[in-house]
């Protein structure tokens, strides 16, 4: 399965300089948050692949105007062609805005999904906005990762962990790809294609 991952910055390559051939061969599109709803709608219109998304910490506009033609998988497990994808959007709480969570809040969201995790016998992809704690995250509170994401990877060993939030253009030593035990970790900033 060929997956286009997106987060945080609309890709000029896809949007401003669009050619339909750029989406050929893409089986699934995953948005890790903080993207204009018009951009996701555009991709949903021109791609044969479904567009799944979770909320970033700046996606308050989605509350009243969600991206049409796209599927929100926040706080859910979505199965596409046998691939089980769990979505947990948002970032660490730093000013009590929408889609900001404490570590305890995020852990409670995960616990609510445990019955679905049990029924689905785990997950293949963990899609989040924030990174996992100590894994390509920032040291400042807004960009700090969640410890419960590490626990999810420890327990369910998904093939992929896709996140956004920590921009590759911040000037920090963020990696596009990393590994955590048996899980391949992808920073979806702007756009990145992965094979599953």
């Amino acid at each position: 399965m060929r997956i286009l991952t997106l987060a945080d910055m609309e890709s000029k390559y896809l949007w401003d300089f669009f050619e339909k051939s750029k989406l050929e061969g893409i089986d699934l599109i995953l948005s890790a948050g903080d993207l204009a709803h018009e951009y996701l709608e555009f991709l949903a219109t021109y791609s044969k692949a479904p567009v799944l998304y979770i909320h970033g910490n700046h996606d308050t506009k989605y509350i009243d105007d969600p991206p049409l033609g796209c599927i929100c998988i926040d706080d859910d497990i979505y199965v596409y062609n046998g691939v089980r994808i769990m979505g947990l959007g948002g970032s660490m709480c730093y000013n009590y805005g929408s889609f900001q969570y404490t570590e305890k809040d995020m852990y409670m969201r995960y616990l609510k999904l445990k019955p679905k995790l049990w029924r689905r016998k785990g997950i293949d992809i963990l899609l989040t906005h924030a990174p996992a704690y100590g894994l390509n995250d920032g040291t400042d509170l807004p960009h700090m990762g969640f410890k419960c994401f590490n626990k999810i990877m420890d327990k369910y060993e998904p093939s992929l962990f896709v996140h956004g939030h920590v921009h590759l253009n911040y000037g920090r030593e963020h990696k596009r790809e990393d590994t955590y035990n048996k899980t391949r970790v992808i920073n979806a900033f702007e756009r990145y294609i992965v094979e599953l």
Side-chain angles (χ1 to χ4, degrees), residues 100-117:
Q100 294 180 27
Y101 304 93
T102 64
E103 181 68 45
K104 183 179 178 182
D105 294 336
M106 189 62 77
Y107 186 72
M108 294 306 293
R109 292 173 67 198
Y110 156 58
L111 287 182
K112 287 180 183 175
L113 287 171
K114 287 210 76 154
K116 285 187 178 185
L117 283 161

Side-chain angles (χ1 to χ4, degrees), residues 42-195:
F42 172 82
L43 293 172
T45 300
Y46 288 102
S47 174
K48 294 177 184 175
V51 178
L52 309 182
Y53 72 92
I54 47 88
H55 298 100
N57 56 305
H58 298 298
D59 285 332
T60 53
K61 58 195 169 286
Y62 286 14
I63 296 169
D64 296 321
D65 196 8
L68 301 176
C70 305
I71 302 164
C72 180
I73 65 163
D74 231 340
D75 298 308
D76 201 2
I77 297 173
Y78 187 87
V79 180
Y80 178 70
N81 286 351
V83 176
R84 303 157 300 175
I85 308 149
M86 182 166 89
L88 288 169
S91 72
M92 192 64 74
C93 184
Y94 57 93
N95 68 6
Y96 301 98
S98 300
F99 309 121
Q100 294 180 27
Y101 304 93
T102 64
E103 181 68 45
K104 183 179 178 182
D105 294 336
M106 189 62 77
Y107 186 72
M108 294 306 293
R109 292 173 67 198
Y110 156 58
L111 287 182
K112 287 180 183 175
L113 287 171
K114 287 210 76 154
K116 285 187 178 185
L117 283 161
W118 180 79
R119 282 195 303 275
R120 300 283 188 206
K121 297 180 172 61
I123 52 171
D124 301 296
I125 300 174
L126 174 59
L127 175 64
T128 70
H129 182 60
Y133 181 78
L135 187 65
N136 209 19
D137 63 344
T139 55
D140 58 317
L141 181 61
H143 297 97
M144 193 176 292
F146 287 97
K147 293 176 183 175
C148 68
F149 295 165
N150 304 66
K151 291 178 184 177
I152 293 168
M153 288 188 284
D154 288 338
K155 184 169 179 64
Y156 299 101
E157 298 181 338
S159 298
L160 286 178
F161 170 45
V162 178
H163 70 84
H165 195 51
V166 283
H167 301 201
L168 294 178
N169 62 0
Y170 278 173
R172 298 177 183 151
E173 294 298 316
H174 294 304
K175 297 178 186 174
R176 172 65 83 180
E177 284 201 41
D178 208 341
T179 55
Y180 180 86
N181 297 331
K182 296 181 179 180
T183 302
R184 186 175 168 199
V185 179
I186 305 295
N187 183 339
F189 175 72
E190 190 187 6
R191 66 178 164 81
Y192 192 63
I193 295 174
V194 293
E195 300 274 350

